[in-house]
Amino acid sequence: MLNDIIDLLGSYGNVYLAGLWGTLWISFVTVVAGTLLGVVLAAVKLSRIRVLEIIIDIYIEIIRGTPVLLQLYFFWLFLPDVLHLDLSNTTCVVIALIVNSSAYIAEIIRAGIQAVDIGQTEAAKSLGMSDFHCLTRIILPQAVKNILPALGNEFIAMIKETSLASTFFVPELMTAYRTVQSSTYLSVPSLLISGLIYLVINFILSRLVKLLEKRLRASD
């Protein structure tokens, strides 16, 4: 088994590196774009405009209440066929992952903001601060301490969720496994290599998130 793994790395290392790059850039783009969309969703939900709040709640419940793979299939079929857009499989999958991530990030941001003691907001307003200054100078600096570690965990989760993109032959780690497996018929060794790469990446990122949490707690 070990010899097979070494041989595969020697012969198909570039395939796994390409898959790793695909996994990382898809995860990064998804979390960044999902964060931007999530900020908008959270702001709308906290706006206290009842109709908009209900719409965002329905959106979040649908996304969080359905499997990621179902959402990938929906966007893969919906965008090209229903909207008649000429989009690649990769584009459809990335859009689906952004939509999925935005729902979770919106809740992370909302919870982070609402975790700040309401008394601080009331005190700031009593001193004559506007809502905007109160949000940017009082609430957000404290909310960031709750939001950043959670965003780190979302990035880790997204790295694992990108494995579903292999269903649509999007270049990433699981697609690399399928490519190597179909060429060599060595299912277990090629799968172990992809699994070990996932494990190493997520182990490093989880340690970085824990380090970030410690530093944020130390700054309190």
Side-chain angles (χ1 to χ4, degrees):
M1 180 74 71
L2 181 59
N3 290 334
D4 289 336
I5 291 175
I6 294 173
D7 290 341
L8 288 178
L9 286 174
S11 302
Y12 295 93
N14 60 327
V15 176
Y16 285 106
L17 285 176
L20 173 60
W21 166 246
T23 293
L24 291 178
W25 83 256
I26 291 173
S27 302
F28 180 78
V29 169
T30 297
V31 171
V32 171
T35 298
L36 295 176
L37 181 55
V39 168
V40 175
L41 295 174
V44 172
K45 189 169 182 178
L46 294 172
S47 66
R48 298 180 182 178
I49 301 175
R50 187 58 181 166
V51 175
L52 295 178
E53 185 179 350
I54 292 173
I55 293 173
I56 299 302
D57 281 337
I58 293 173
Y59 170 87
I60 291 174
E61 287 301 322
I62 290 174
I63 297 301
R64 297 178 67 180
T66 54
V68 179
L69 186 58
L70 183 149
Q71 295 167 26
L72 293 178
Y73 268 112
F74 176 80
F75 279 89
W76 182 65
L77 295 170
F78 180 80
L79 293 178
D81 295 344
V82 178
L83 298 183
H84 303 291
L85 297 175
D86 185 17
L87 299 175
S88 65
N89 290 349
T90 300
T91 302
C92 293
V93 166
V94 170
I95 291 173
L97 291 175
I98 289 172
V99 170
N100 175 271
S101 181
S102 68
Y104 290 90
I105 291 176
E107 286 297 281
I108 289 171
I109 294 172
R110 178 198 59 77
I113 291 175
Q114 291 184 333
V116 178
D117 187 2
I118 189 64
Q120 298 189 44
T121 302
E122 295 172 348
K125 288 184 177 181
S126 68
L127 295 174
M129 294 183 69
S130 65
D131 289 340
F132 177 77
H133 285 157
C134 180
L135 178 65
T136 57
R137 297 181 182 180
I138 303 297
I139 298 176
L140 285 182
Q142 298 180 72
V144 163
K145 294 183 179 182
N146 298 321
I147 293 172
L148 284 181
L151 285 179
N153 290 324
E154 177 65 18
F155 183 56
I156 293 172
M158 188 52 59
I159 285 178
K160 290 181 285 187
E161 289 180 1
T162 57
S163 62
L164 296 173
S166 64
T167 306
F168 308 92
F169 303 101
V170 173
E172 51 77 56
L173 272 173
M174 287 305 295
T175 305
Y177 149 71
R178 295 176 66 178
T179 301
V180 174
Q181 187 273 334
S182 63
S183 299
T184 63
Y185 300 101
L186 296 173
S187 300
V188 175
S190 55
L191 186 63
L192 283 175
I193 292 173
S194 290
L196 288 172
I197 295 174
Y198 277 117
L199 182 62
V200 170
I201 296 171
N202 289 322
F203 177 82
I204 293 172
L205 289 175
S206 65
R207 290 302 176 272
L208 290 175
V209 169
K210 288 183 179 180
L211 180 61
L212 176 62
E213 290 176 342
K214 288 182 180 179
R215 291 193 173 184
L216 290 175
R217 283 198 298 266
S219 64
D220 289 341

